[in-house]
Amino acid sequence: MQRPIEVLMPAMSPTMKEGKLSRWLKNAGDKVKPGDVLAEIETDKATMELEAADEGTLAEILVAAGTEGVKVNTPIARLATGAAATAPTAAASRPEFPPAPPATAKALFSPSPGRPVLQAPPAAVPNVPGETAMLTVREALRDAMAEEMRRDPNVFLMGEEVAEYQGAYKVSQGLLEEFGKKRVVDTPITEMGFAGLGVGAAFAGLRPIVEFMTFNFAMQAIDQIINSAAKTRYMSGGQMDCPIVFRGPNGAASRVAAQHSQCFASWYAHCPGLKVVAPYSAADAKGLLKSAIRDPNPVIFLEHEMLYGQSFDVPTGPEHLVPIGKARIARAGAHVTIAAFSLMVGTALKAAEQLVAEGIDAEIIDLRSLRPLDTATIVASVKKTNRLVTIEEGWPFAGIGAELAALMMEQAFDDLDAPVTRLTGVDVPMPYAANLEKLALPQVEQIVAAAKAVCYRR
Amino acid sequence: MATTKRKTAGETGVASPSPQVLLRYYRDMLMIRRFEERAGQMYGMGLIGGFCHLYIGQEAVVVGVQAALEEGDTVVTSYRDHGQMLAAGMDPNGVLAELTGRRGGYSKGKGGSMHMFSREKNFFGGHGIVGAQVPIGTGLAFAHGYRANSRVSITFFGDGAANQGQVYESFNMASLWRLPVVYVIENNKYGMGTSVERASATIDLYTRGGAHGIPGKPVDGMDVLAVRAAADEAVAHARAGKGPYILEMKTYRYRGHSMSDPAKYRAKEELDRMRQERDPIDRVGKLLIEGGVVDEAGLKKIDKEVRDIVLAAAEFAQNSAEPDQSELHTDALIET
Ligand SMILES: Cc1ncc(C[n+]2csc(CCOP(=O)(O)OP(=O)(O)O)c2C)c(N)n1
Ligand SMILES: [Mg+2]
């Protein structure tokens, strides 16, 4: 006897919560074998195929083609199988897609017709002061690069999968189409090599943007970043400028375990000769990236995968620059200062909402720039609130929080009514298990508790 | 399951393998295929998180190489490691429970899909950084040479990894010191979305040891018998103290790079052709039927046995508890 099993909406990526069921490739009544493509699913990142995992007959389609916002794990079809059915079945994802044109010539600098335009370049936005548009962080970063590449022909982007694939996290979407393969360069997987190559190109006066697929892989290249990019100007008595941006996602992604999930903010912030920024909002992502590209020094630009899809208001127009070295008061408050950067600003803002109910009015500082650090803004805030809680995903030892605590000792000692409290990632490599991963990172409740503690509330 | 994959004493039969050997290859490859299909499915259900790189399509490579090994030989590979572990004789329950991040997993749920290890089976991981396992495998070979124990290190890496600098640093040392290592390049034609042609100035990866005096060979990685034959030769070379050897396995991954790969970089026809004409499991299935070893029903029976093992593993992986919270702090360093 045939017992129907449910085909569930699959998760295609660690962060996917819902997607669009764009089309069915099988109809009710069709026979299917494992591996047959049942449907196409679309997310903000990609379109993928849903494969059958079991043999049987497609008994019923439960979610019509074209339905948006289908939650992961919703039953989308019923499959009648001959065999005793097993666990409820979601088919696994497998990609589809129009054949990419064969890539032949490797020469970067010969004129080439380039690939057909897959997607229109970002529409030109009128430069009206004060006007804003909602953009994701991903789009804001792309727009920043595109604007700077239009402005300065010496700016180019290189990294793994930045061109044809449109970026591993789709940050460079559309750039190859607009700027061609001379200026949007796919590299082999050779981080040490292309980071060093970028440094050489910068010495020669170009303005490379080097994308690391994630900053975890920049560890392969850290010698070139520190020993070559950061130190050469000093060693050359000021002759050798190195105008380069190293950018990519940093910090804890979701469930990718120890080698792919860590924060490098304090590693780079430790080093003279570098500037280090880590924005939270899309407006800052755009304005800071533009400043970083125009900066004559090497800049480490730390993004966050979990922020790429988040939307914020961004000033339109090509001259939206955010100065490196200036913090931003993300929320003004009177009772306690909470300093954070990157994704943790959002976590701190959530904590601040909860603290209102406790009668605590928190001031949230988005550090934005870690080197140089906007000490004046932090000190001014602490002089007002007399308390500081710091938050970061990175490890505690010699972390950003440790630096802030030391600075308060030096510059705001008499203003402190409580010891500076650090909230950090737990001092272990990132575990994979869901429960342990959550315990390893600062959570809203911990921020609330820390803020209450420094306010001597129970 | 956990049938031992190690070469049995005196077993030859590479040119015309015995029915038993063929059956074993078939079953071992099918085990990997069914396991990976289930893993893909469980990922879709949200039971597995993060990155999950499936080995589907490449089964003949690891099964053929493992068949050429002896007890004590060591293996190290990349994040595309599930099939490697099954072929090394590791328990599917423990592998799948690691994928679900549960305490019954090989790393107690702390490593996940990309990071699993077994001292008992001489499997040294499961490494997430492209190319990083290559010096590590070379170091395992250094230890084998140091101990003069006749062991061989098998170091797997991808076509994309073949461009990392540390690969060539390793090649030089391995050749300089005649280390007993076989480098197995799993050339599945793509490193993520980049074809070998777009990433490599020269595409015959088996020649990459040339500058260091390391012999190399291209192998049909979709044919387990060809893999076995080449592995026998390369392993014998390393075991005899003649130094490193490179095997370039021409293979193919059917699925995306990891679960969230839109795969716009390759033609669907390319994939379909591979699946229909070159599938490593179908190939051996056909040999078995043509040789009269089993009939269709016999193959179905094997499939059923394999599915049952995988189902039991899935059950185990879902029912094993999450790690105890205290595990967050253990294992970072040995207490001294
Ligand atoms: C040093 C480093 N750079 C980049 C990555 C991201 N990444 C993971 S797998 C991969 C492609 C590797 O391709 P290949 O070596 O051919 O192995 P395959 O995935 O095909 O098995 C990349 C770029 C990484 N994990 N480590
Ligand atoms: Mg590959």
Side-chain angles (χ1 to χ4, degrees):
Chain A
M1 205 206 71
Q2 297 217 333
R3 184 173 130 198
I5 56 179
E6 285 179 339
V7 178
L8 304 179
M9 182 73 170
M12 303 288 200
S13 77
T15 46
M16 174 175 164
K17 300 268 182 298
E18 57 176 46
K20 176 178 175 189
L21 206 166
S22 23
R23 127 181 129 96
W24 284 101
L25 287 105
K26 295 276 178 193
N27 298 313
D30 286 358
K31 289 237 175 306
V32 297
K33 290 196 310 305
D36 283 357
V37 179
L38 295 177
E40 267 178 27
I41 310 281
E42 239 176 277
T43 69
D44 59 338
K45 279 195 223 163
T47 306
M48 277 163 290
E49 288 178 348
L50 173 68
E51 269 181 17
D54 294 271
E55 190 161 345
T57 307
L58 191 62
E60 192 183 350
I61 286 176
L62 303 171
V63 174
T67 311
E68 309 243 12
V70 183
K71 298 258 180 304
V72 164
N73 277 343
T74 314
I76 55 173
R78 259 193 272 282
L79 194 70
T81 62
T86 58
T89 301
S93 68
R94 203 207 40 86
E96 78 147 292
F97 313 85
T104 43
K106 282 181 222 176
L108 286 181
F109 304 128
S110 54
S112 108
R115 290 219 303 170
V117 176
L118 293 178
Q119 194 198 308
V125 274
N127 184 11
V128 182
E131 197 169 299
T132 63
M134 281 295 268
L135 289 183
T136 62
V137 169
R138 176 183 283 118
E139 292 161 339
L141 291 166
R142 189 264 321 273
D143 290 356
M145 289 191 282
E147 287 170 15
E148 294 308 300
M149 288 175 78
R150 282 173 211 136
R151 181 178 172 270
D152 180 350
N154 282 328
V155 178
F156 70 97
L157 171 67
M158 82 188 319
E160 291 158 21
E161 308 288 358
V162 298
E164 300 226 352
Y165 197 83
Q166 311 283 310
Y169 296 96
K170 298 288 172 272
V171 172
S172 50
Q173 191 119 39
L175 296 184
L176 174 67
E177 284 67 32
E178 181 173 355
F179 299 102
K181 65 181 183 179
K182 174 181 161 186
R183 297 181 69 196
V184 183
V185 184
D186 274 329
T187 64
I189 310 169
T190 53
E191 287 84 3
M192 175 74 127
F194 67 74
L197 185 152
V199 171
F203 286 167
L206 299 184
R207 290 185 165 258
I209 306 169
V210 172
E211 173 176 312
F212 292 113
M213 192 176 284
T214 76
F215 260 92
N216 303 289
F217 315 140
M219 271 204 280
Q220 296 282 322
I222 202 164
D223 177 74
Q224 289 290 1
I225 298 172
I226 310 294
N227 265 330
S228 305
K231 296 180 184 171
T232 300
R233 183 161 203 282
Y234 188 83
M235 295 189 298
S236 66
Q239 294 178 70
M240 290 291 171
D241 298 350
C242 189
I244 190 168
V245 177
F246 296 104
R247 51 157 288 271
N250 169 66
S254 170
R255 307 291 308 281
V256 293
Q259 293 186 332
H260 284 76
S261 216
Q262 56 197 320
C263 175
F264 291 91
S266 79
W267 295 46
Y268 292 109
H270 183 68
C271 301
L274 294 177
K275 294 187 177 183
V276 183
V277 297
Y280 163 65
S281 73
D284 287 346
K286 182 172 179 191
L288 278 168
L289 184 52
K290 288 167 66 76
S291 295
I293 295 167
R294 294 187 194 186
D295 201 284
N297 297 293
V299 180
I300 305 290
F301 195 93
L302 304 172
E303 300 160 12
H304 205 297
E305 188 194 334
M306 311 294 256
L307 288 173
Y308 282 151
Q310 293 192 25
S311 296
F312 298 83
D313 259 334
V314 181
T316 52
E319 287 304 316
H320 165 60
L321 294 167
V322 172
I324 296 175
K326 285 271 173 283
R328 175 179 73 100
I329 308 286
R331 180 188 193 280
H335 299 145
V336 53
T337 301
I338 300 176
F341 56 94
S342 190
L343 182 70
M344 285 293 125
V345 174
T347 313
L349 287 167
K350 285 197 196 100
E353 279 165 30
Q354 293 191 13
L355 284 165
V356 171
E358 307 276 348
I360 294 175
D361 183 20
E363 177 144 304
I364 311 290
I365 300 185
D366 176 355
L367 296 172
R368 302 197 293 195
S369 170
L370 302 168
R371 175 185 268 270
L373 186 69
D374 185 357
T375 314
T377 295
I378 307 163
V379 169
S381 175
V382 169
K383 281 187 187 299
K384 181 172 73 172
T385 64
N386 311 109
R387 292 160 175 89
L388 178 62
V389 174
T390 71
I391 308 166
E392 69 196 294
E393 290 183 343
W395 294 305
F397 193 94
I400 299 295
E403 179 61 27
L404 291 174
L407 278 171
M408 292 309 105
M409 297 278 278
E410 292 165 2
Q411 301 190 24
F413 187 73
D414 290 335
D415 297 294
L416 288 173
D417 283 350
V420 174
T421 296
R422 288 183 285 162
L423 285 181
T424 67
V426 173
D427 197 19
V428 292
M430 184 63 74
Y432 166 71
N435 63 332
L436 300 186
E437 185 184 63
K438 187 150 185 266
L439 291 172
L441 291 167
Q443 306 290 332
V444 173
E445 310 79 64
Q446 290 166 311
I447 303 174
V448 169
K452 284 167 72 178
V454 296
C455 292
Y456 304 107
R457 299 281 187 79
R458 306 189 339 114
Chain B
M1 83 138 212
T3 50
T4 175
K5 305 303 182 295
R6 305 299 174 172
K7 185 169 165 175
T8 41
E11 177 198 303
T12 49
V14 166
S16 53
S18 69
Q20 286 73 19
V21 169
L22 264 189
L23 273 171
R24 199 182 75 194
Y25 293 158
Y26 185 80
R27 190 176 184 283
D28 289 351
M29 291 193 291
L30 197 63
M31 173 64 73
I32 296 173
R33 172 89 36 112
R34 295 289 176 248
F35 181 97
E36 293 290 62
E37 285 167 354
R38 179 63 56 175
Q41 224 183 79
M42 288 170 67
Y43 191 96
M45 293 158 74
L47 290 163
I48 296 169
F51 296 133
C52 184
H53 309 85
L54 303 182
Y55 199 69
I56 296 177
Q58 302 180 211
E59 296 91 345
V61 175
V62 72
V63 168
V65 170
Q66 275 285 351
L69 302 188
E70 290 177 6
E71 203 58 48
D73 291 343
T74 56
V75 170
V76 67
T77 190
S78 69
Y79 45 81
R80 198 175 298 286
D81 56 358
H82 314 160
Q84 292 275 354
M85 295 184 284
L86 297 177
M90 288 166 68
D91 180 0
N93 286 7
V95 178
L96 203 47
E98 190 59 40
L99 293 178
T100 53
R102 306 302 173 88
R103 63 178 66 173
Y106 266 98
S107 301
K108 307 180 203 163
K110 291 156 84 166
S113 161
M114 300 185 285
H115 311 298
M116 271 180 260
F117 307 82
S118 167
R119 279 219 173 261
E120 187 203 345
K121 301 292 179 192
N122 287 305
F123 180 73
F124 284 80
H127 298 269
I129 301 303
V130 169
Q133 77 273 24
V134 180
I136 294 171
T138 309
L140 290 165
F142 185 92
H144 299 327
Y146 191 91
R147 297 207 169 100
N149 62 9
S150 301
R151 296 295 157 241
V152 173
S153 160
I154 310 295
T155 301
F156 289 90
F157 57 99
D159 48 279
N163 294 317
Q164 281 287 34
Q166 49 188 322
V167 170
Y168 300 92
E169 300 179 21
S170 300
F171 283 0
N172 185 45
M173 289 185 283
S175 186
L176 183 65
W177 299 326
R178 290 209 183 193
L179 303 180
V181 51
V182 176
Y183 296 107
V184 182
I185 306 177
E186 297 194 68
N187 181 353
N188 57 14
K189 300 182 79 167
Y190 299 91
M192 216 169 251
T194 304
S195 66
V196 176
E197 290 75 14
R198 291 207 304 117
S200 296
T202 59
I203 60 169
D204 286 326
L205 303 180
Y206 65 93
T207 65
R208 289 286 179 98
H212 305 96
I214 305 177
K217 216 179 190 173
V219 183
D220 179 355
M222 306 302 276
D223 176 358
V224 69
L225 302 181
V227 171
R228 169 69 197 273
D232 271 342
E233 193 181 326
V235 168
H237 175 97
R239 212 185 296 287
K242 296 182 189 161
Y245 203 103
I246 296 171
L247 295 177
E248 179 192 348
M249 301 291 176
K250 311 260 191 200
T251 181
Y252 202 76
R253 72 166 150 69
Y254 293 0
R255 298 293 183 94
H257 166 74
S258 69
M259 298 305 295
S260 51
D261 172 4
K264 290 197 179 151
Y265 47 83
R266 65 182 182 191
K268 189 143 176 51
E269 296 73 47
E270 176 182 294
L271 171 63
D272 290 344
R273 204 173 337 106
M274 274 289 175
R275 280 205 240 195
Q276 277 152 25
E277 296 169 15
R278 309 270 314 278
D279 187 78
I281 300 176
D282 288 351
R283 184 196 291 250
V284 175
K286 214 163 141 234
L287 285 181
L288 285 168
I289 287 179
E290 283 167 1
V293 181
V294 288
D295 55 10
E296 282 288 352
L299 292 185
K300 277 235 146 76
K301 188 161 157 277
I302 297 173
D303 194 34
K304 171 84 170 67
E305 285 164 17
V306 165
R307 274 176 189 276
D308 286 347
I309 292 168
V310 171
L311 261 183
E315 194 89 348
F316 177 81
Q318 289 176 62
N319 294 333
S320 177
E322 287 192 310
D324 190 81
Q325 297 201 351
S326 64
E327 286 290 349
L328 180 60
H329 300 278
T330 60
D331 302 325
L333 278 180
I334 298 172
E335 296 295 337
T336 51

